[in-house]
Amino acid sequence: MALLERKVSLVKYVSGGLLACHIVCHLMSTTVDPAEESLRLNNTYRTPRPTFDRTQHDHVIVELYCSLCGVTVSGHARHCRACNKCVAGFDHHCPWLNNCIGSRNYWWFFSTVASAAAWLLWMVAILVLIVGEYHKNPAVLRTDPHYENMDSETI
């Protein structure tokens, strides 16, 4: 009985820790603004800007100047069509986070994905442990006080 209680305690703390880590990483990857530094300092990207129209322009950024944002950008910046702003070190626009992933929040995005994968693997390991315990001895899993007054015929 004490061994099972220690396992449950370990499961609660590790699951809670992984979930808390995932929540923090998720919040940070969505709240860190990946916009180009010159755009953030200019603070004009909070006002509406014209959207990119391929019929009028071949490229938005020409010679390190974004015609939509109206700022000079670095060589690694790209203009995101979904967010309509220049992103430093643009990697992709993540539809699940509804945010661009760039050099400023890439580590947080990677940590979000890694913590979700770690939490998923942890839950699969717990499931395998529970199924293994059930097949070995089903009575071990019946530690709740409601099972004390039951016999094998009512279960």
Side-chain angles (χ1 to χ4, degrees), residues 38-108:
S38 59
L39 189 62
R40 283 184 285 118
L41 293 175
N42 197 358
N43 211 13
T44 58
Y45 73 98
R46 297 185 191 276
T47 60
R49 286 181 309 281
T51 55
F52 178 61
D53 186 10
R54 285 212 180 266
T55 60
Q56 294 178 354
H57 307 285
D58 287 335
H59 301 286
V60 177
I61 300 174
V62 178
E63 295 179 11
L64 300 180
Y65 181 80
C66 179
S67 58
L68 293 179
C69 297
V71 294
T72 303
V73 295
S74 67
H76 296 289
R78 299 288 178 264
H79 192 87
C80 178
R81 288 187 216 166
C83 294
N84 198 25
K85 64 182 172 186
C86 287
V87 177
F90 182 79
D91 187 59
H92 69 284
H93 181 85
C94 183
W96 292 283
L97 298 177
N98 193 26
N99 199 12
C100 284
I101 307 303
S103 59
R104 292 194 70 225
N105 64 348
Y106 186 80
W107 187 86
W108 289 111

Side-chain angles (χ1 to χ4, degrees), residues 95-127:
W96 292 283
L97 298 177
N98 193 26
N99 199 12
C100 284
I101 307 303
S103 59
R104 292 194 70 225
N105 64 348
Y106 186 80
W107 187 86
W108 289 111
F109 170 73
F110 180 76
S111 297
T112 300
V113 173
S115 63
W119 196 74
L120 177 69
L121 289 174
W122 178 250
M123 289 296 124
V124 168
I126 291 169
L127 180 65

